[in-house]
Amino acid sequence: MNRLMILIAAVSLTILTACDQAPESDESLAEDAEIVEQIPVEVALAELGSVSAFYSATASLEADGRAKVVPRIGGQVMELLVEEGDSVKAGQVLARLDADRLRLQLAQAEANMRRLAQDFDRHREMHERDMISTETFDRLKFEFEAQSAQYKLAQLEVSYSEITAPIDGVISMRQVRVGNQVNTVDPVFEVTALDPLQAVLDVPERELSRLQPGQTAILRADALPGEEFVGEVARISPVIDPDSGTFRVTVELGGEHKRLRPGMFGRFSIIYDQRDEVVLVPVEAVLSEDGRSSVFVIRDGQAERRAVMPGYRNNGHFEITEGLEAGEQVVTTGQASLRTGSTVLVLNQPVDYDSTSSLVSTDASAGDDA
């Protein structure tokens, strides 16, 4: 709207100026006519830069690893060592159960094992001297081995009184309190691994030839506006779902993105092609009519309509593959009144040509060739 008002004001000012001047001579009339015929426009410079082609989709972030922690034995919770949000390592103790009875059973099993160990050593010497039969010795040997196994089992039961984390991650849920009676069926904790996070995209089969593992994926999370997170395509399913006509693409984001959380909704752009040192112009400079594209180029104060071949579209810019060179001025506002040969009045000062400009894909709705 501001640009339109500027153009209207410029045209009005030009006309009023021409009307106020008295027609002193044919020469002055010619000069006034020349001023009136100037068409106000805004221009931009065609620049060299980089442009990307990408596939866009939406999905929620998921944890690559998630485990529900269920006690291996039943008992009363005597101590809680972690809370929700705490980081834990695999094997770290999360809670302890009442293990008094188990320790007594362990002590009993240990005493029996030591007694049988002494009997076994004594009878082994006697067997070597042929003072007892082989049958008697073997029976004592088996009893000792059985008791040794019973002792190890009792040790294992005592160790199970400590509830431990099965994976590295954070405590995402605690479902038990001190004094609760737990069993071997209901989970008491949930541990979620935040490194890496992943998202599974259902991609149309026509994109199968474009996407491959290792490609860069840019995430924009609705919960963190204005921020971008970089991941990559981890794997691609080789099977296409015949019902939906899609295949699964898994994108992973590493642990350096500390602010991301499972469940966040995100918009993903998978970059499958990038071109450097290409000619770029603003989208509004390109006119499309009957399937053909063109731009108005300013040369020596006059407009020239020129056919061009647009390529990828990113960040409000078109790649121009044919018909235009970097550094040329193109009209971005006011094309409706132009034709080849029109004299123009440039209302703005275009940005100086910068050969280092670069475009990174940010328009989630774009991504295909223009």
Side-chain angles (χ1 to χ4, degrees):
M1 180 62 71
N2 290 337
R3 290 185 176 181
L4 179 59
M5 292 178 66
I6 293 173
L7 292 176
I8 293 173
V11 173
S12 300
L13 179 61
T14 304
I15 295 174
L16 289 174
T17 302
C19 292
D20 289 343
Q21 293 179 350
E24 297 178 356
S25 64
D26 292 341
E27 182 179 354
S28 63
L29 287 175
E31 292 176 355
D32 291 344
E34 182 178 355
I35 294 176
V36 171
E37 291 176 357
Q38 288 184 331
I39 300 174
V41 297
E42 291 186 355
V43 301
L45 291 177
E47 299 181 344
L48 286 179
S50 300
V51 68
S52 301
F54 53 89
Y55 171 77
S56 297
T58 59
S60 295
L61 293 176
E62 304 172 0
D64 186 41
R66 185 170 59 183
K68 293 184 181 295
V69 183
V70 179
R72 298 187 179 185
I73 61 172
Q76 185 179 29
V77 178
M78 303 301 294
E79 186 180 9
L80 288 176
L81 303 177
V82 294
E83 284 293 344
E84 292 180 357
D86 290 347
S87 297
V88 296
K89 296 291 186 180
Q92 180 177 333
V93 179
L94 309 180
R96 291 190 175 95
L97 304 180
D98 180 11
D100 290 345
R101 180 177 57 85
L102 297 177
R103 292 191 183 94
L104 290 175
Q105 292 176 349
L106 174 62
Q108 183 181 29
E110 183 179 11
N112 291 333
M113 184 188 66
R114 289 179 177 177
R115 177 178 57 81
L116 289 174
Q118 292 177 352
D119 290 346
F120 176 70
D121 289 340
R122 184 172 65 254
H123 286 79
R124 180 172 53 188
E125 294 178 0
M126 295 174 65
H127 180 259
E128 291 174 354
R129 298 176 183 179
D130 294 330
M131 297 177 64
I132 60 172
S133 65
T134 300
E135 181 181 356
T136 301
F137 175 74
D138 288 342
R139 185 177 66 254
L140 289 172
K141 177 182 177 182
F142 295 148
E143 288 179 1
F144 171 69
E145 291 176 348
Q147 188 58 44
S148 296
Q150 190 66 31
Y151 170 70
K152 293 178 181 179
L153 181 61
Q155 281 184 314
L156 191 61
E157 289 285 313
V158 171
S159 70
Y160 285 167
S161 66
E162 294 185 336
I163 302 174
T164 59
I167 60 173
D168 294 350
V170 298
I171 302 298
S172 54
M173 188 176 297
R174 174 179 64 83
Q175 297 176 294
V176 68
R177 297 179 180 179
V178 173
N180 288 167
Q181 193 74 21
V182 299
N183 53 48
T184 58
V185 178
D186 299 324
V188 293
F189 293 98
E190 184 172 303
V191 181
T192 301
L194 301 182
D195 183 15
L197 291 177
Q198 66 179 25
V200 179
L201 312 180
D202 293 320
V203 181
E205 59 182 301
R206 66 176 179 272
E207 306 290 343
L208 182 60
S209 61
R210 294 178 173 179
L211 303 185
Q212 59 185 3
Q215 289 175 331
T216 299
I218 299 175
L219 164 67
R220 297 168 195 86
D222 286 0
L224 302 170
E227 297 187 48
E228 291 186 352
F229 305 91
V230 180
E232 69 174 24
V233 176
R235 52 189 176 273
I236 295 178
S237 173
V239 178
I240 296 176
D241 185 343
D243 295 329
S244 62
T246 61
F247 61 98
R248 291 164 61 88
V249 175
T250 302
V251 175
E252 286 190 352
L253 296 105
E256 66 272 13
H257 304 308
K258 301 296 185 182
R259 301 187 66 193
L260 296 177
R261 293 292 182 268
M264 282 185 175
F265 184 78
R267 306 174 190 278
F268 292 84
S269 299
I270 300 176
I271 300 174
Y272 59 80
D273 191 16
Q274 180 167 328
R275 299 172 182 171
D276 299 321
E277 294 297 307
V278 297
V279 178
L280 304 172
V281 298
V283 169
E284 54 268 23
V286 180
L287 304 174
S288 297
E289 185 177 352
D290 298 330
R292 299 179 180 180
S293 299
S294 61
V295 298
F296 277 102
V297 179
I298 304 302
R299 300 186 63 181
D300 300 326
Q302 293 186 329
E304 173 192 340
R305 186 160 189 160
R306 188 182 301 174
V308 295
M309 183 68 68
Y312 293 144
R313 172 179 173 170
N314 285 166
N315 275 6
H317 286 72
F318 266 124
E319 170 198 17
I320 303 299
T321 60
E322 295 180 10
L324 196 65
E325 294 183 359
E328 292 190 281
Q329 287 187 352
V330 294
V331 178
T332 58
T333 304
Q335 300 99 316
S337 304
L338 294 180
R339 65 180 184 276
T340 297
S342 297
T343 301
V344 299
L345 174 64
V346 178
L347 300 179
N348 68 316
Q349 181 63 37
V351 179
D352 291 340
Y353 170 64
D354 181 4
S355 62
T356 63
S357 63
S358 176
L359 293 179
V360 179
S361 306
T362 60
D363 187 358
S365 64
D368 296 326
D369 294 359

